[in-house]
Amino acid sequence: MSAPRMQSRRAAHRARPSPFVPRPRRPPNEPGPPARRPAGGFAGTAVLRPALPAALLLFLAVVLRSGAMDGVLNFLDFGAGVLALVSLSVTVLWGLAATDRMVLNSGHRLLAQAVHRGTGVAGLGFLGLHIWIKVTEGHTDAMAAAVPFTDGARPGLIGLGTLAAYVFIAVAVTGAVRGAFTGITASRWWRGLHMSAYAAWGLALVHGLRAGRPAAGYALVGYAICLVAVAVRLALRMRDSRRNTGELP
């Protein structure tokens, strides 16, 4: 390559701008571009922020003044326990459905497990509300709600509910941290504790049907159907597990 041609290429390379050259900075006293405001305007947001808590307080004042809160408490006095028992019954049924391998495929079992967890959380929420309402209304005291079989009037029935509540809470906590139960021994402990939820559900049925108001006929029929369905599904599950372990031909 001739010398003039190499010199011309070097000159062109030097004239090409380098991508690493820093951009010129704006002087500190020079104003920048105006900031963009969010859609709807800043003034409307500034007015709505203090208005929302004020509207909520006004709504609560109207509800308390009109006596509607008394009606809500009267409903929860009876309905919170029923909702807790119904939610936990549905939780037990969906938990059994999530173990089915004869009808459901893997996707259906995952959906059943999601419903099982959701209804379990709802049941625990209604259970906490039920306990709070009963203590607030004076139907029992905090000691009887915390320590089983210490209620002065009905120690047996109230104690069954307290005992069932502790088992449900333990099952929910250990179910949330199932990954911590690794190994054969720990897995067996987890399964045994999880299976105790069926016994707790039976105790909750006795507590709900006998400790509170007399249940309606349709409620008794519904709980009886749930009890039969759980018993049948448990029997089928135990039979399948025995076949898988080779105890049955």
Side-chain angles (χ1 to χ4, degrees):
M1 185 179 292
S2 60
R5 184 175 298 177
M6 292 180 62
Q7 292 178 358
S8 63
R9 288 189 175 182
R10 289 175 182 174
H13 180 72
R14 289 177 187 149
R16 188 179 302 167
S18 175
F20 300 102
V21 176
R23 300 178 63 182
R25 296 183 178 180
R26 188 185 301 113
N29 297 329
E30 182 179 349
R36 296 182 178 180
R37 293 184 177 180
F42 178 78
T45 306
V47 173
L48 286 177
R49 284 179 180 176
L52 289 177
L56 180 60
L57 291 175
L58 180 61
F59 173 75
L60 292 176
V62 171
V63 169
L64 293 175
R65 186 67 177 175
S66 63
M69 188 60 67
D70 295 335
V72 173
L73 291 177
N74 290 333
F75 168 75
L76 292 178
D77 188 15
F78 173 73
V82 174
L83 291 175
L85 190 55
V86 170
S87 299
L88 294 174
S89 301
V90 174
T91 302
V92 171
L93 292 175
W94 278 102
L96 286 171
T99 63
D100 178 75
R101 295 181 180 273
M102 296 184 297
V103 179
L104 304 181
N105 55 29
S106 59
H108 294 156
R109 289 196 298 271
L110 288 176
L111 179 60
Q113 290 175 4
V115 178
H116 169 70
R117 296 189 185 99
T119 54
V121 172
L124 290 179
F126 288 128
L127 178 61
L129 183 61
H130 168 66
I131 296 173
W132 176 74
I133 288 292
K134 292 302 180 182
V135 173
T136 303
E137 294 294 319
H139 298 292
T140 187
D141 53 6
M143 178 61 70
V147 181
F149 309 110
T150 58
D151 185 75
R154 293 166 297 176
L157 293 174
I158 303 300
L160 291 179
T162 304
L163 190 61
Y166 279 126
V167 176
F168 281 129
I169 293 173
V171 170
V173 172
T174 54
V177 294
R178 183 178 182 179
F181 292 86
T182 57
I184 298 177
T185 304
S187 178
R188 287 177 179 175
W189 276 102
W190 183 90
R191 290 182 182 276
L193 181 59
H194 213 71
M195 290 289 290
S196 66
Y198 301 118
W201 177 65
L203 298 179
L205 279 177
V206 177
H207 167 81
L209 294 176
R210 302 295 298 174
R213 303 176 186 177
Y218 67 89
L220 293 175
V221 173
Y223 290 136
I225 292 174
C226 291
L227 189 61
V228 172
V230 169
V232 171
R233 188 64 190 90
L234 273 177
L236 292 176
R237 182 179 179 181
M238 293 176 64
R239 186 194 64 178
D240 294 340
S241 62
R242 291 176 62 188
R243 284 181 176 179
N244 293 334
T245 55
E247 295 182 11
L248 289 178

